[in-house]
Amino acid sequence: MRPQFSFLLISLLASSLSVYAAADVRGLHVTGSGEVRAVPDMARVNLEVRREGEDASALKAQLDEVSRKVLEMAGNMGIKERDVTAAAVSIRPRYRPSDEGAQVDGLTATRSIQVVLKDLADIGDLINGALERGVNGIAGIHLDLSNRAELERKALDLAIDDAKDEALRVARRFGVTLGELLDAAVDQHQVRPLMMEAMTARTADSGTDFSPGEISIRRSVRSTFALAESVSP
C-alpha cells in the first residue's frame, strides 16, 4: 500500500504542476471591470399554500382549489398563463414526539406558486388577492430586469474597454509597447436578482407604491497582453 500511495501522490503533484505551467502566460496581466445600474421592471413573486389534515386526497383537493382561484385571479389581472407556475403538490407526514419515539400525527401538504409580474405596481394587489383566496404566505419576492441579457452584454463591453485602457496605461508608464492579446478569461455569467424585503402590513394592505431601488450588474475580464519593443524616449 505504501508504494501505491507514493506513486499516486507524485502523479497528483505532476498533474498540478502541469496545469499551473499551462496557465502561467507571460506578459502584462490586467483586469477590467464594468458595471451597469438599472431600475427593476419585473418581479417573481413566490406564493406558498399549506394545509394540514389526515386525508391526502382531501388535502390535495384543497390545494388544487386555491391554485385554481389564484390562476383565475392572475388572468383577471392580465397576467399571462405562461407567467404563472404552480409546482406539484408535496405531501409529507407530520410527526409528534412521544415516549415511544416520533409518531405520525397527520399530514402536511404544500404547493408553491410563482407569478411573474411585468408591472411592479401590481405587487400589492397580487399579494392581497392571493391571501384572500387561501394562500398562506409569501416565500419571496425577487425583483429583476426584463432586458438583463442586453445589460449583461453592455457591462461586459465596458469591462473589456476598461481592461484595454488599463493595459495601455500600464505599458505607457513602463515605457514599453503593448503587443497582441495573448489570453483572456471572462467571469461566469451569474444572475443575481434583487431580493425584496418583506412588505410591511400597511404597504400590502393599501397597495402603497414602493421604491424598488436599483440592480447593479457587474462583469469582469482578466486579460494578458504581450509586450513589444521599448518605446524610444
Side-chain angles (χ1 to χ4, degrees):
M1 294 299 294
R2 191 180 187 87
Q4 292 178 1
F5 176 80
S6 300
F7 177 78
L8 177 60
L9 178 60
I10 293 172
S11 298
L12 289 173
L13 288 173
S15 176
S16 299
L17 290 174
S18 175
V19 173
Y20 178 80
D24 187 19
V25 180
R26 298 190 60 175
L28 176 59
H29 305 272
V30 296
T31 299
S33 60
E35 180 181 15
V36 176
R37 290 180 174 271
V39 177
D41 60 355
M42 62 176 291
R44 293 180 179 86
V45 182
N46 296 302
L47 310 172
E48 184 180 70
V49 188
R50 184 182 67 259
R51 294 291 186 273
E52 295 182 350
E54 305 290 336
D55 188 290
S57 297
L59 291 175
K60 183 180 182 303
Q62 293 177 39
L63 266 60
D64 289 343
E65 178 64 14
V66 174
S67 299
R68 185 191 65 78
K69 292 179 179 179
V70 172
L71 288 170
E72 181 181 16
M73 175 194 68
N76 293 335
M77 294 177 62
I79 301 172
K80 298 184 182 301
E81 186 175 344
R82 66 170 180 266
D83 290 331
V84 182
T85 303
V89 175
S90 172
I91 300 178
R92 300 178 182 275
R94 187 176 65 250
Y95 296 94
R96 61 176 174 79
S98 69
D99 295 337
E100 300 177 355
Q103 301 290 323
V104 176
D105 187 30
L107 303 171
T108 299
T110 59
R111 165 176 276 172
S112 60
I113 304 174
Q114 184 184 85
V115 181
V116 177
L117 282 178
K118 301 298 178 61
D119 188 346
L120 296 184
D122 290 337
I123 288 182
D125 291 339
L126 174 67
I127 291 176
N128 289 328
L131 293 174
E132 291 170 359
R133 287 162 176 78
V135 168
N136 295 90
I138 313 303
I141 302 174
H142 299 270
L143 304 182
D144 210 340
L145 301 158
S146 58
N147 62 337
R148 172 178 281 278
E150 176 187 346
L151 297 177
E152 291 274 0
R153 290 191 293 268
K154 184 177 180 180
L156 180 57
D157 287 341
L158 292 174
I160 293 173
D161 291 341
D162 185 50
K164 291 163 62 177
D165 292 342
E166 188 75 3
L168 287 169
R169 187 180 305 111
V170 173
R172 189 179 302 115
R173 291 293 297 168
F174 276 111
V176 296
T177 300
L178 193 67
E180 64 180 354
L181 177 68
L182 298 177
D183 185 61
V186 180
D187 66 332
Q188 290 186 350
H189 187 121
Q190 296 183 347
V191 178
R192 294 190 181 92
L194 183 66
M195 182 67 180
M196 180 180 171
E197 295 296 334
M199 299 173 67
T200 62
R202 180 185 176 203
T203 301
D205 291 340
S206 64
T208 304
D209 291 337
F210 64 95
S211 175
E214 286 185 329
I215 291 179
S216 175
I217 298 177
R218 298 185 180 91
R219 301 298 301 271
S220 63
V221 57
R222 291 173 283 113
S223 54
T224 302
F225 294 87
L227 296 176
E229 71 280 357
S230 299
V231 178
S232 302

